[in-house]
Amino acid sequence: MPAQEFIEPQVVHVVHGDGDTEIRLADLQPQQNALVLRQVSMSDEGEVTFGGSATITLSSIGSVDLVGQGVQLRPQAKLGQSAKDAPVLMELRFEGTELARRWAEVMDSCKAKPKPGGVGGKATASAPKWDEEGKNAAFILKKLIVQQEEQVKLLEALNARKAEQLLACQERLEGALTMLQQGQMAYEVQQKVLDAQQQQLEALKAKAGAAGAGASSSSAAAAAATAA
């Protein structure tokens, strides 16, 4: 099966080497040579929520084995051992054997090819030194997954905090704009009052001027009559 084939993400049971079982959304990304495991949970109302994620580089996996409805991931075997002798790091359990087989084929095509000097699935002298029962390998892998998930949570928290800060800045800006608009409205009202008062003053001046001119005319006419 081509490594570039798209496989739809699946909700699987992840069984770690120490026996712990978790539910994860498995997303196989052949182009990135990666397996992404995302936390998934369901509320009492049936709402599905997703949490942090961990990425496993498939080239670091020694072997991919199909076991019924499960796919077992193993590290590189110790020198002198076959790939089957390596401990199981984790097992992905699917809903059907056919689905598990398709995933196993794609993951197997993505993992690293044996280095020169490796024979029959055996690792070279530079292979990682796992303990006999695989406890160290399983513990390290599980710890790395937890660390990656915590890093994702931290980044999400930082992004949420930035979003809150941006929202607060936006609210302050909107408040300032609202105050500016209110000030402009008050200025317009005051300007209208001043314009009305100015018009009244001009009218009073014009009336006073007309009254003064009438009084002067009356005085001149009276003086002319007296002289006659």
Side-chain angles (χ1 to χ4, degrees):
M1 178 178 293
Q4 303 299 326
E5 180 178 345
F6 170 77
I7 293 186
E8 185 177 355
Q10 298 290 327
V11 176
V12 300
H13 285 82
V14 178
V15 183
H16 295 280
D18 57 4
D20 287 348
T21 302
E22 300 173 320
I23 298 178
R24 290 288 187 271
L25 178 68
D27 183 9
L28 188 57
Q29 301 178 356
Q31 294 183 350
Q32 286 73 36
N33 194 28
L35 171 65
V36 180
L37 299 176
R38 181 177 292 276
Q39 290 179 331
V40 59
S41 60
M42 180 177 293
S43 64
D44 295 337
E45 293 76 16
E47 182 180 356
V48 178
T49 57
F50 298 98
S53 63
T55 302
I56 299 174
T57 304
L58 293 175
S59 59
S60 64
I61 300 299
S63 66
V64 179
D65 303 314
L66 176 64
V67 180
Q69 297 183 4
V71 177
Q72 294 181 347
L73 306 182
R74 300 173 185 268
Q76 297 286 342
K78 296 175 66 175
L79 186 63
Q81 291 182 335
S82 66
K84 299 293 185 182
D85 293 330
V88 177
L89 294 176
M90 66 169 54
E91 179 179 343
L92 308 181
R93 293 181 180 174
F94 297 85
E95 293 184 355
T97 55
E98 178 61 23
L99 186 60
R101 182 189 63 79
R102 293 180 60 237
W103 275 67
E105 288 180 354
V106 176
M107 283 191 287
D108 187 64
S109 66
C110 292
K111 70 180 182 63
K113 303 298 182 181
K115 295 182 180 180
V119 180
K122 298 178 182 179
T124 63
S126 60
K129 302 299 183 180
W130 307 102
D131 62 278
E132 289 294 330
E133 298 181 355
K135 293 182 179 180
N136 187 44
F139 173 77
I140 292 176
L141 181 60
K142 189 175 181 180
K143 185 175 181 180
L144 289 175
I145 290 176
V146 172
Q147 288 178 346
Q148 289 192 28
E149 291 174 345
E150 291 299 326
Q151 290 175 354
V152 171
K153 290 180 180 179
L154 178 60
L155 290 175
E156 290 176 347
L158 291 175
N159 290 334
R161 184 174 180 181
K162 289 181 180 178
E164 292 176 356
Q165 292 176 344
L166 290 175
L167 181 59
C169 291
Q170 182 179 358
E171 291 177 350
R172 288 196 296 269
L173 178 59
E174 290 177 351
L177 290 175
T178 300
M179 293 181 62
L180 178 61
Q181 291 175 351
Q182 292 175 349
Q184 289 177 340
M185 293 176 62
Y187 171 78
E188 291 176 357
V189 171
Q190 292 177 353
Q191 188 65 39
K192 289 180 179 180
V193 172
L194 290 176
D195 291 342
Q197 291 177 346
Q198 185 67 31
Q199 291 177 359
Q200 292 177 356
L201 180 61
E202 294 295 335
L204 290 174
K205 287 183 177 179
K207 188 176 181 179
S216 298
S217 298
S218 299
S219 298
T226 303

